[in-house]
C-alpha cells in the first residue's frame, strides 16, 4: 500500500500548489468561491443567521458546518484553512478505502478503489479543494463502508450528509426491507432530524433552500444545455450569464429544456422505484452499487452539472471497486475517464464552453456522453445482480447472497467479520456548488 500513499502525497502537493496560487491553470480562478463567497457566508453565519439575501445559498441547513469548519484553524486565514481541511478530508477518504482493503485482504480485494480515488481527485484540478463537496463525499464513503458491519453508524453518516447537501439520501436507495435496513434508515432519519432541529433553533431560515432553485435556468455544462449550445449555432437569441451563482442559459425555450430535464429526473426516480420493487437478491456491494446508479441518474438528468459533482461519483465508484463489485467496473472506468475531460471544460477551456465554441461543445459532448453511458451500464448491472437471482449469485461468488425478507445481514449465514473465510467482510446488511 506504500505506492498509493506515495502517489497521493505527490499529487496532493501539486494540488495544494494550484489552490494556493503557486501554479495557475488556464481559465478562471476557481478558488474565489472560498475567498469571497464561502468566507462571506461564514461571516453571516457567525452572526446567527443563514445568508438569506444571497441567491447563491441554495443548500440545506447542514451546509453551515463545512462553511464554518475553517474556524477550527483560527491561526490560518479562512481560504488557507479551508484548503487544509479539504486536503485532510481527502486523506481521510483514502484511509477509509485502504482500511477496507486491509479488512478484506484474505478474500483477495484489490486496491482498485483506492487507486481510483488517488488518481481521480487531482485530475479534477483545484476545483475539488475549492468546494465543500469533498466533505460530503467523505460522509458518503464512510457511510457505505460502515454499512459492512455497522448499519446504524452508516445511517447516521448518510443522514448527516443529506442535511449538508441532499444527495447522500440516495445512499438509502439500496437498503433492504428488513431489520438491517430498518436500522440503517432509522438512524439516518434520527441523525438528520436531530441535527436539523439543532441547526434550525440556532439559526433561522435554514429551510429556505427548498424554494431557492425555483427560478434557475439551465447551467451551461448540463446535459440539457447541449440542446441550447447547438441552437445557438442556428441563431437562437438567448444568452449565457451569471445567474443564481453559476453560468446559465437564459432566454426563450430555456423553460422547455429545464422542464425536459425535470421530466428525465422524474423518469429516473420512477426507474429506481421499479427496480426497488423488483429487486430480491442482495450481494455485499448492492448498497454501494445502488448508490452509484442513483447518483449517476440524478446527476445526468439535472439541469445543473457542476464539475465538483464528479467527486461524488469518484467516491462512490471507489467504494464499489473496493467492495469488488464486478458489474460496476465499467461505470467506474467511465467515471474515471470523464474526470480529466471535466478539468478541460472547467476551468481550462471554460471560455469556449460559455461561448458555445466547437471545442467547448465537443468537451461537453464527450464528458456528458461518458456519464450517460456510465449511468446506463450502472443501472443495467444493478438490475442483473439484484433482479436476476442467478446473476446475483454469480456476482456475489464466494461471499454469500441475501434474499430479501430473509432477515439478518447481507450474505445470509455466509457473512462474518472481515477476513473470516469466504463470507468474511461481506456487507452486513452556486457559485459553482
Amino acid at each position: 500500500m506504500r505506492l498509493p500513499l506515495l502517489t497521493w502525497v505527490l499529487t496532493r502537493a501539486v494540488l495544494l500548489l494550484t489552490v494556493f496560487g503557486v501554479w495557475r491553470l488556464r481559465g478562471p480562478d476557481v478558488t474565489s468561491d472560498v475567498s469571497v463567497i464561502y468566507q462571506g457566508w461564514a461571516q453571516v453565519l457567525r452572526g446567527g443567521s443563514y445568508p438569506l439575501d444571497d441567491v447563491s445559498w441554495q443548500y440545506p441547513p447542514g451546509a453551515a458546518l463545512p462553511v464554518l469548519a475553517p474556524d477550527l484553524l483560527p491561526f490560518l486565514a479562512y481560504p488557507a484553512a479551508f484548503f487544509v481541511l479539504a486536503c485532510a478530508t481527502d486523506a481521510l477518504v483514502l484511509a477509509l478505502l485502504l482500511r477496507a482493503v486491509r479488512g478484506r485482504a484474505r478474500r483477495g480485494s484489490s486496491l482498485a478503489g483506492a487507486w481510483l480515488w488517488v488518481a481521480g481527485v487531482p485530475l479534477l484540478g483545484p476545483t475539488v479543494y475549492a468546494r465543500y463537496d469533498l466533505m460530503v463525499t467523505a460522509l458518503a464513503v464512510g457511510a457505505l463502508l460502515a454499512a459492512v458491519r455497522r448499519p446504524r453508524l452508516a445511517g447516521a453518516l448518510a443522514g448527516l450528509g443529506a442535511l449538508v447537501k441532499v444527495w447522500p439520501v440516495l445512499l438509502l436507495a439500496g437498503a433492504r426491507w428488513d431489520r438491517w435496513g430498518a436500522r440503517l434508515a432509522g438512524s439516518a432519519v434520527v441523525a438528520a432530524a436531530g441535527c436539523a432541529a439543532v441547526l434550525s433553533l440556532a439559526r433561522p431560515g435554514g429551510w429556505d433552500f427548498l424554494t431557492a432553485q425555483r427560478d434557475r435556468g439551465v447551467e451551461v455544462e448540463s446535459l440539457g444545455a447541449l440542446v441550447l449550445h447547438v441552437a445557438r449555432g442556428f441563431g437562437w437569441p438567448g444568452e449565457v450569464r451569471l445567474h443564481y451563482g453559476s453560468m446559465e442559459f437564459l432566454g426563450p425555450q430555456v423553460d422547455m429544456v429545464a422542464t425536459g430535464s425535470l421530466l428525465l429526473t422524474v423518469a429516473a426516480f420512477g426507474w429506481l422505484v421499479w427496480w426497488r420493487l423488483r429487486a430480491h437478491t442482495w450481494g455485499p456491494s448492492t448498497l454501494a452499487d445502488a448508490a452509484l446508479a442513483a447518483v449517476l441518474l440524478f446527476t445526468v438528468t439535472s439541469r445543473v452539472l457542476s464539475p465538483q459533482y464528479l467527486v461524488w461519483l469518484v467516491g462512490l465508484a471507489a467504494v464499489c471497486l473496493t467492495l469488488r463489485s464486478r458489474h460496476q467496473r465499467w461505470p467506474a472506468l467511465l467515471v474515471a475517464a470523464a474526470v480529466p475531460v471535466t478539468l478541460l471544460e472547467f476551468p481550462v477551456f471554460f471560455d469556449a464552453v460559455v461561448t458555445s465554441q466547437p471545442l467547448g461543445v465537443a468537451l461537453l459532448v464527450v464528458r456528458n456522453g461518458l456519464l450517460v453511458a456510465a449511468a446506463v451500464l450502472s443501472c443495467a448491472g444493478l438490475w442483473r445482480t439484484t433482479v436476476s437471482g442467478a446473476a446475483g449469485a454469480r456476482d456475489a461468488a464466494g461471499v454469500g447472497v441475501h434474499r430479501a425478507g430473509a432477515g439478518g445481514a447481507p450474505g445470509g449465514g455466509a457473512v462474518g467479520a472481515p477476513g473470516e473465510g469466504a463470507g468474511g467482510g461481506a456487507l452486513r446488511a452556486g457559485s459553482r456548488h
Side-chain angles (χ1 to χ4, degrees):
M1 296 186 182
R2 292 180 180 177
L3 187 56
L5 288 172
L6 177 60
T7 306
W8 185 90
V9 170
L10 294 175
T11 54
R12 273 41 178 197
V14 173
L15 200 52
L16 287 172
L17 288 174
T18 61
V19 294
F20 280 107
V22 178
W23 292 345
R24 297 292 296 272
L25 292 177
R26 183 185 186 276
D29 178 14
V30 302
T31 64
S32 62
D33 272 30
V34 175
S35 59
V36 178
I37 297 176
Y38 284 15
Q39 190 167 3
W41 289 345
Q43 291 175 351
V44 176
L45 288 165
R46 292 187 198 107
S49 175
Y50 285 90
L52 304 180
D53 296 328
D54 188 343
V55 295
S56 297
W57 180 266
Q58 302 157 13
Y59 310 108
L65 301 177
V67 171
L68 289 172
D71 290 352
L72 297 173
L73 303 176
F75 48 88
L76 292 176
Y78 184 93
F82 190 93
F83 301 146
V84 169
L85 289 173
C87 186
T89 305
D90 182 4
L92 174 61
V93 174
L94 179 61
L96 291 172
L97 293 170
L98 292 176
R99 182 176 182 273
V101 171
R102 285 195 298 269
R104 299 164 61 88
R106 295 184 188 178
R107 294 173 46 218
S109 296
S110 72
L111 288 168
W115 273 115
L116 177 59
W117 182 259
V118 168
V121 169
L123 286 176
L124 278 173
T127 302
V128 74
Y129 275 11
R131 306 291 187 272
Y132 79 79
D133 296 79
L134 190 62
M135 290 75 164
V136 186
T137 303
L139 291 171
V141 170
L144 292 174
L145 294 176
V148 171
R149 300 184 67 182
R150 304 177 68 182
R152 287 192 176 90
L153 174 60
L157 292 174
L160 179 58
L163 194 63
V164 175
K165 204 165 186 180
V166 182
W167 69 263
V169 73
L170 296 174
L171 302 184
L172 304 179
R176 300 192 321 273
W177 295 331
D178 60 8
R179 287 178 297 173
W180 179 87
R183 294 189 192 106
L184 183 72
S187 62
V189 171
V190 170
C195 292
V198 171
L199 290 169
S200 297
L201 290 174
R203 289 174 176 81
W207 299 98
D208 287 7
F209 81 98
L210 293 172
T211 58
Q213 299 197 37
R214 182 171 47 196
D215 299 321
R216 290 201 69 159
V218 175
E219 192 180 44
V220 294
E221 296 158 281
S222 65
L223 182 64
L226 288 172
V227 176
L228 300 173
H229 281 293
V230 173
R232 231 176 170 187
F234 290 91
W236 179 68
E239 61 177 343
V240 174
R241 60 188 170 118
L242 186 64
H243 186 245
Y244 277 80
S246 65
M247 299 304 292
E248 298 181 356
F249 278 112
L250 299 173
Q253 287 81 51
V254 171
D255 287 345
M256 293 177 58
V257 174
T259 301
S261 296
L262 179 60
L263 291 175
L264 286 175
T265 300
V266 172
F269 179 76
W271 183 89
L272 283 172
V273 172
W274 175 243
W275 162 76
R276 194 59 189 78
L277 293 173
R278 295 290 306 277
H280 56 76
T281 304
W282 265 255
S285 65
T286 301
L287 188 71
D289 295 352
L292 178 60
V295 175
L296 273 167
L297 283 175
F298 282 89
T299 298
V300 298
T301 60
S302 174
R303 56 182 170 174
V304 179
L305 208 173
S306 296
Q308 61 269 22
Y309 292 8
L310 270 291
V311 75
W312 313 348
L313 301 175
V314 169
L316 298 178
V319 174
C320 289
L321 293 181
T322 299
L323 298 178
R324 298 198 307 162
S325 174
R326 291 191 335 181
H327 289 289
Q328 297 301 322
R329 289 176 184 172
W330 273 108
L333 290 174
L334 291 172
V335 167
V339 169
V341 184
T342 300
L343 174 62
L344 291 177
E345 65 90 357
F346 183 85
V348 178
F349 295 112
F350 192 57
D351 54 343
V353 172
V354 170
T355 55
S356 302
Q357 296 177 28
L359 174 60
V361 176
L363 289 171
L364 288 181
V365 168
V366 173
R367 195 279 300 271
N368 292 346
L370 288 168
L371 294 181
V372 169
V376 171
L377 291 178
S378 181
C379 291
L382 181 64
W383 188 273
R384 285 195 297 271
T385 57
T386 56
V387 176
S388 171
R394 288 194 299 271
D395 185 62
V399 295
V401 190
H402 175 82
R403 294 283 178 176
V415 175
E420 294 177 356
L427 182 62
R428 286 185 184 269
S431 66
R432 305 186 52 74
H433 311 307

